Amino acid sequence: MSVPSAAAETGVRGDSAPTDDTRLRGRPLALARGAWLILALLTLATVVATIPIEYTRLQQICLSPDCEHPHLTPDSLRELQALGLSSSFFTAYFIIAEVVFALVWIATGLVIFWRKSDGRMALLTALVLVLGSTFALNPRNLAAAYPIWWLPAALVSFLGSASLTNFLFIFPDGHFVPRWTKWLATLWVVQQLPVYFFPDSPLNSDIWPQDMALGLYMLTFGTVLTTQFYRYRRVSSPQQRQQTRWLLFSFAVAFATLLGLATLKGFLPSPGIVAELLGNTAIYVTLLGIPISIGIAILRYRLWEIDILINRALVYAALTISVVGLYVLIVGYLGTLFQTSGSLLIALLATGLVAVLFQPLRDRLQRAVNRLTYGERDDPYAVISRLGQRLEATLAPDLILPTIVQSVAETLKLPYAAIALHADDGRWTMDDNGALSSIVHRPPSVVAAYGSPVEHPLTLPLTYQGDIVGQLILAPRPGESGFGTADRRLLDDLARQAGVAAHTVQLSADLKRSRERLVTAREEERRRLRRDLHDGLGPALAAQTLKVGAARALYGRDPAAADR
């Protein structure tokens, strides 16, 4: 099931935009809700009917290496009995985990449907979550036990796979970006048809060689990841980026958990039933984060910021990997050096070294992640020093303010930074006594900007010796509603430095304008003198010359006339 692409590819812009810009009304809305309820009820019935089938399957002891996971084997049963546990515990554990998994997915979908069922994207999201409840309880086991359930089980499973893929391609605005991805999504949907409806067909990827099937899945979801990254960087608005963070964060945690468990399984080929139970618990817990994160992204992404979660997750994931790697390296190196293995002394030594290095390593990783997330906010001296170096290298006055806004935006990873300066209109105000008091200023105008403007930016005054000369306009990082205490302290310091630079730029501009006025006044005076000479003194002198010539001509013939 897919959402039709709108004419505009980029979706909704601006913080006030809804989740999707294609809302249903009237009869289309009633039909969509009716179809959604039918599919939801069919899915719920399939899930409920699958539970006893799954319970029966889990109670059986599997002797084949190709049994569906999870399953009991004679070895795992003996291990359970050694721990004082029975096969009923194993069955109850997995049934409860799978039922809780299904209930969380269904409940999240119902909440989204209840709150936003008039939007196409919200309807699709709710349907994806409801259908996703079958990912743990496989409906095909129901179809194998009761053939009458074959068509409903195949339909529910197929729609779950198809809708999830389309959802990942069009999240969060309901449009395929780039547009050619809708053809890839269509091919995926068509490819899933033989998997569920024609299992004996050679086009069924479940019977392909494992490498081919894995390559198909990697290609599809690699394309999804690439298009989501492209959408995030080039198309999404700040609110859509925040929604994308929630989605990708949940998938990244689930993927990291699966990858970590697979790596541990490689080191422990026979982990045992206890390790298997703990591993499955971790998998179910992280997979439950997917519907919860999607629900937050659709309903409450504005209230619950995810950046701090991503920051802490990156720090502790890197810290865990570093500590484990360091411990393994120390134990392996010392064991090889002293030709010992499993030595308690070496293990204690490695533990001590890891404990000593833990806090410095954590601080260093925290600074690195903070720099990746917030720029150089935690090192204000470096920020101001780098800004000073760039200003020293900037010789032209008209490049000083653009250099400041570019440096601030790039260093702190801000989407927008600008400087607006006050300007006077040449008019002076007069006090009650008729004396001139001050120049009338116009509202500040932006003279240098970097990035794209956003709504409700932070405005800091630029001052010089107590006088406000302009404003520093800054936009919070994508997904953040404002600036924290550390950001404000650094920005206040930068604003003071920028105020001095802005005043210097204003003085340079005033001096340039004064020079231009002097040159203009001098040229205007020259033109006036030239005009006076041409129109006044020049004709007068010419008239006098003519009169003197006429007098001289009359002087010999008529002295009296010449005298007159």
Side-chain angles (χ1 to χ4, degrees):
M1 178 178 181
S2 62
V3 177
S5 177
E9 178 181 280
T10 58
V12 182
R13 291 288 189 149
D15 288 339
S16 60
T19 303
D20 57 297
D21 60 347
T22 51
R23 295 195 173 275
L24 300 171
R25 295 177 179 84
R27 181 174 295 180
L29 176 59
L31 292 175
R33 286 175 173 174
W36 191 95
L37 288 173
I38 291 174
L39 290 174
L41 291 174
L42 178 62
T43 303
L44 184 60
T46 304
V47 169
V48 172
T50 306
I51 292 176
I53 305 300
E54 184 71 3
Y55 183 84
T56 303
R57 184 188 71 82
L58 290 172
Q59 281 190 320
Q60 297 174 352
I61 298 177
C62 181
L63 302 177
S64 172
D66 298 329
C67 291
E68 181 181 353
H69 180 82
H71 58 267
L72 272 174
T73 64
D75 293 337
S76 60
L77 181 60
R78 284 192 293 270
E79 188 176 351
L80 283 174
Q81 292 174 348
L83 295 173
L85 303 175
S86 64
S87 60
S88 299
F89 170 81
F90 177 88
T91 304
Y93 167 81
F94 278 102
I95 284 294
I96 292 174
E98 291 172 354
V99 170
V100 169
F101 178 91
L103 287 177
V104 171
W105 282 70
I106 292 174
T108 309
L110 290 175
V111 170
I112 295 176
F113 177 79
W114 180 261
R115 296 285 302 276
K116 290 192 174 185
S117 61
D118 59 341
R120 294 186 182 181
M121 190 62 201
L123 274 176
L124 175 63
T125 304
L127 182 62
V128 167
L129 293 174
V130 171
L131 293 170
S133 62
T134 62
F135 294 159
L137 293 163
N138 190 352
R140 285 188 279 186
N141 292 331
L142 175 63
Y146 299 101
I148 193 174
W149 279 93
W150 172 81
L151 183 59
L155 180 63
V156 167
S157 301
F158 167 73
L159 290 178
S161 176
S163 61
L164 176 62
T165 307
N166 277 268
F167 170 79
L168 294 176
F169 270 116
I170 65 179
F171 185 83
D173 60 1
H175 304 142
F176 287 98
V177 179
R179 292 184 178 180
W180 57 264
T181 54
K182 60 185 174 184
W183 302 113
L184 186 60
T186 303
L187 288 176
W188 171 262
V189 171
V190 172
Q191 189 274 331
Q192 290 295 292
L193 285 172
V195 174
Y196 298 102
F197 294 101
F198 309 101
D200 297 330
S201 171
L203 298 178
N204 181 7
S205 59
D206 285 354
I207 62 176
W208 291 358
Q210 186 176 2
D211 293 340
M212 289 182 60
L214 180 61
L216 176 64
Y217 280 92
M218 293 296 291
L219 176 63
T220 302
F221 289 100
T223 306
V224 168
L225 182 62
T226 303
T227 55
Q228 280 291 336
F229 181 76
Y230 172 81
R231 182 197 297 269
Y232 183 90
R233 296 288 297 176
R234 300 292 184 88
V235 177
S236 295
S237 64
Q239 72 158 18
Q240 291 168 353
R241 290 179 178 176
Q242 184 74 346
Q243 291 173 307
T244 303
R245 282 197 189 101
W246 278 107
L247 178 70
L248 295 183
F249 176 73
S250 61
F251 274 95
V253 171
F255 177 77
T257 302
L258 293 173
L259 183 62
L261 292 175
T263 304
L264 289 177
K265 189 175 181 180
F267 286 106
L268 303 172
S270 300
I273 190 64
V274 175
E276 184 177 358
L277 291 174
L278 293 176
N280 279 276
T281 302
I283 292 174
Y284 280 120
V285 170
T286 54
L287 289 179
L288 285 179
I290 294 177
I292 295 174
S293 297
I294 292 175
I296 293 174
I298 296 295
L299 299 174
R300 301 181 67 84
Y301 59 91
R302 290 177 184 269
L303 301 182
W304 298 331
E305 300 291 347
I306 192 175
D307 299 275
I308 188 65
L309 295 178
I310 296 176
N311 185 287
R312 294 294 183 265
L314 289 175
V315 170
Y316 287 106
L319 184 62
T320 301
I321 295 173
S322 300
V323 168
V324 172
L326 185 62
Y327 182 85
V328 172
L329 180 64
I330 294 174
V331 171
Y333 175 75
L334 293 180
T336 303
L337 181 64
F338 295 104
Q339 299 296 319
T340 60
S341 60
S343 172
L344 178 61
L345 178 62
I346 293 178
L348 291 175
L349 179 61
T351 304
L353 288 175
V354 169
V356 170
L357 296 175
F358 179 83
Q359 188 61 33
L361 181 61
R362 180 191 175 279
D363 293 339
R364 186 176 294 273
L365 289 173
Q366 185 68 65
R367 287 196 297 270
V369 173
N370 284 348
R371 180 171 298 180
L372 178 65
T373 307
Y374 306 115
E376 297 183 355
R377 181 193 67 182
D378 295 336
D379 192 0
Y381 173 77
V383 176
I384 296 176
S385 176
R386 182 174 292 107
L387 179 60
Q389 293 173 359
R390 296 194 65 175
L391 292 178
E392 288 179 0
T394 304
L395 300 178
D398 56 346
L399 296 179
I400 292 178
L401 298 184
T403 300
I404 291 176
V405 295
Q406 181 180 358
S407 299
V408 171
E410 291 180 347
T411 304
L412 300 181
K413 296 186 180 298
L414 304 180
Y416 178 71
I419 289 179
L421 297 182
H422 292 281
D424 63 81
D425 57 5
R427 294 184 293 110
W428 292 75
T429 60
M430 301 182 65
D431 58 19
D432 296 338
N433 298 324
L436 296 176
S437 59
S438 62
I439 294 179
V440 176
H441 291 285
R442 295 195 300 268
S445 58
V446 175
V447 296
Y450 182 85
S452 302
V454 299
E455 296 181 0
H456 310 299
L458 173 67
T459 302
L460 299 175
L462 300 179
T463 59
Y464 178 77
Q465 295 184 350
D467 296 330
I468 297 178
V469 297
Q471 297 174 343
L472 179 61
I473 305 170
L474 303 165
R477 300 177 187 90
E480 295 184 355
S481 58
F483 291 94
T485 305
D487 286 323
R488 286 300 302 267
R489 285 198 300 266
L490 176 57
L491 292 175
D492 288 339
D493 292 338
L494 290 175
R496 284 192 290 270
Q497 303 298 325
V500 177
H503 179 69
T504 303
V505 171
Q506 281 187 324
L507 289 180
S508 300
D510 291 341
L511 179 59
K512 182 179 179 180
R513 286 194 296 270
S514 298
R515 289 176 177 175
E516 290 175 351
R517 284 197 293 267
L518 287 175
V519 172
T520 301
R522 183 175 60 186
E523 292 300 322
E524 188 64 29
E525 187 65 18
R526 285 179 176 177
R527 284 194 294 270
R528 187 186 66 79
L529 290 174
R530 188 182 304 112
R531 185 170 58 252
D532 290 344
L533 289 175
H534 181 273
D535 298 338
L537 184 58
L541 291 176
Q544 294 300 323
T545 302
L546 292 175
K547 290 180 179 181
V548 170
R552 292 184 62 186
L554 292 173
Y555 187 78
R557 300 193 308 271
D558 190 355
D563 188 50
R564 288 194 302 272

